[in-house]
Amino acid sequence: MHSTLLLIVILLAAAVVTVAVFRRMNMPPILGYLMVGMAIGPHALGIIPDSDGTRYLAEFGVVFLMFSIGLEFSLPQLKSMRHIVLGFGLSQVLVTMAIVFAAVLFAGQGWQTGVIVGGVLAMSSTAIIAKALAEQTQLHSSHGKQIMGVLLFQDIAVIPLLVLVPALALSGEQLMVAVGMALLKAAAALTVILLVGQRIMRPLFHVIAAQKSSELFVLAVLLVTLGLSLVTEIAGVSMALGAFLAGMLISETEYRYQVEDYIKPFRDVLLGLFFVTIGMLLNIDLVIAHFVLVLLVLTALLALKFCIIVGLAMLFKNDRGVALRAALALAPAGEFGFVLLSLAGKVNAVPQATLQVVLAAMLISMLIAPLLLAYSEKIVMRLVASEWEQRAVQLQQLAIRSMAKRGHVIICGYGRSGQSLARFLEQEAISIIALDADPARVKQAAAAGDSVVYGDASRKEVLAAAGLARAAAIVVSFADTHAAMTILAHARELRPDVPVVVRTFDDTDVEKLKKAGAAEIVAEVVEGSLMLATQTMLLLGIPLNKVLSRLRRVRGERYQLMRGFFPGASDDEDHAFDGQQSRLQSVLVDDGAAAVGKTIEALKLGDLGATLIALRRQGVRETNPALGTLVEAADILILAGTPEALAKAEIQLLQG
C-alpha cells in the first residue's frame, strides 16, 4: 500500500469526523484540526509520522491563507480605517511584542526568541472573532470596528515577520546580513511583482474570463498563486509573501470575488491540513512535564493582552465598554501565531521546550476564545455600571419614541429593503419604528428625519421597548434565518397574535419559518421569478385579473409551484445553490417500479424530506395531485427536496 495515499486517507477521515463534531458544537473547525493533529501525531497515537513531505504539503495551506488575505487587502479600506489600523492596531502589536520580548529576556532566553514569541503572541484569531461578530451582527458596532481594525493590522504585520523569522535562526554577523538581505529581497520582490503584475494581471484575466471556462479560470488562479509563491521562494523569502502579493494584485481587478469563491475549497482543505500538522507538533509528555509553566504562560498571555488592549483602546478615546469587548475578543492567540511558530520550529529559531510551552498555551487560549466571545456581553455588563445605564437610556429613548404609537409596524433592519418598505408605509400614513444595529446608518438616517433608532431587534427587551404590545406587525427586512427565528420566538412569547413578515434569500427555510410562526415569508429569488413571470404574461396578453389571481394562488401555497429548481452547469458556475437548497428532480416510474399501484399518500415521501410538486401522465401535468391518486407505470413524478432527500425518494419509488 502506498504510504502517501494511506496518509491522506487517515487525515481526511480524522478531519471529517472531528470537524463535523466541532461544527455541531458550534466551535471553530480550526480547533478540530488541531485536536486531530494532537491525537494522530507522533507524540500521541503515532499514526502519522512528522515527515518533511507532510509539512511541505501543509505549507500550501498557509500559501492559500495568505492569498485570501491579499484578496481582502484593500487600500481604500485601509485608508478609511487608518486611525484604527495604524493607531490602535500598530500600538497593540508593538506594545505586546515589546513586553513579551522583555519577559523572554528576563526568563533567560535569547533576544531572537523574544522577537519571535512576541510576534506569535501578539496575533489574534481572525477566523474565530470575525465569525462570532458576524453571527452576533456586531461587525459594524463600535467595538466591532475597533476589533476588525486591529485584526487588519495584524494581518499586515505577519508579512514582515514571515520574512524575519527564518533570518533570526542565525547568529552573529550572519544574522545581521541575513536580516538585511531578507528585507532587501522582500522589497525587491514586492517592487518587481507589483510594477510588472499590475500591468499584466488585468489583461491576463480578461483573456481567461473571455473563454468562459471555469476550469481554465481555476488553473489560471492556481498558476498565479503558486507561480508568485515560487518566485519569492527562489528569492530566498517565504512562499506566503508571494501568495499575499498575488492576492493583492488580483484584488485590484473586477474578478476578485469570483477568484475568492474558486480558491476557497483549496484554501480550507489545505489550511485544515496545516493545522493538523500544527497539532502534530505538540508533545503531550513535554507539556505535562511543564504543565505549571503552560498555565503561567496562558494566564500571562490572556492577562497581558487584555490589559494592553483595554489601556490602548481607552487611550484612543473608546469608552470602557468598547475597550473591554475588544480586549475579551483579541486576548486569545490566533492562527497566524501558529503560522509563525511553525516557521520558527522548522528553522530551529526557538528552543523546543519553549516552542512546546507556547504552543500549548496558544491552543488552550483558542479553546477559551469562543467562550469569552459568547459571554462578553454579560462580563461587560457586570464590570461596567455605565453599560447598564447606557442600555437603559437607549431602551428609555426607544420606549419614549414608541409610546405615542399604536398600530405601527416594527421594521427590523434598516438596510435598503427596510428603507424602501418604510417609504411605502409612510405614503399610506402607516407609522413605523425601524430598529438597526449599525450606529453610523442610524445616525445618518435619523438626521434625515427617518423614524429609526439604534437597537438589536433580536433582543427581547428592545422589541418590547419598540412597542410590540401595540404594534400591528413586525417585518424582518434582512435575509438572516437565524436572527429571524430568534425574533419570531420573542414575538410568539410576548405577543402571539402579532403577524410577522420575514424576508429570506430563497425557499429553503420557508417551512421552518412558517412553523416558527411567520405570517408571511418573502423569498427573494422566488419573488424575482414571480415578477419575471408576471411581466411576461402581461406582455403575452393574459388579462391582468388572471395574472394577479395566479400570483395570489402561488403565494397562498407558500411558493409550492415554484419550490426548487432543476440544477444545471450554469448554476454551479453562479453558485446559485448549495447542498441544503431545495431542487427539483423528475422520476420516471417504469413497469417494475415499487411505486406502481400505490397511492401518493402511501409512498410517504414527506418522511424522507421530499415533496411531490406535480405528476405528469400522458402529457398532462397535474400540480399538487390528490393524496389518494394511484401511481401508474410511465408516470413522471416531479419531486422537490435537498439532493440527499431526492436520492432517498428515488430509491423508495423505484426499489421500495
Side-chain angles (χ1 to χ4, degrees), residues 417-440:
S417 297
Q419 291 171 41
S420 299
L421 172 62
R423 294 185 185 108
F424 271 106
L425 294 176
E426 285 168 353
Q427 286 180 356
E428 299 297 325
I430 298 172
S431 87
I432 66 146
I433 283 186
L435 304 170
D436 198 278
D438 184 345

Side-chain angles (χ1 to χ4, degrees), residues 23-58:
R23 282 200 178 277
R24 183 171 288 275
M25 296 190 301
N26 203 28
M27 296 282 282
I30 289 174
L31 301 179
Y33 288 124
L34 291 167
M35 293 296 185
V36 168
M38 289 170 55
I40 65 178
H43 303 298
L45 298 177
I47 298 173
I48 302 295
D50 185 19
S51 64
D52 291 336
T54 306
R55 287 197 299 270
Y56 189 75
L57 181 60

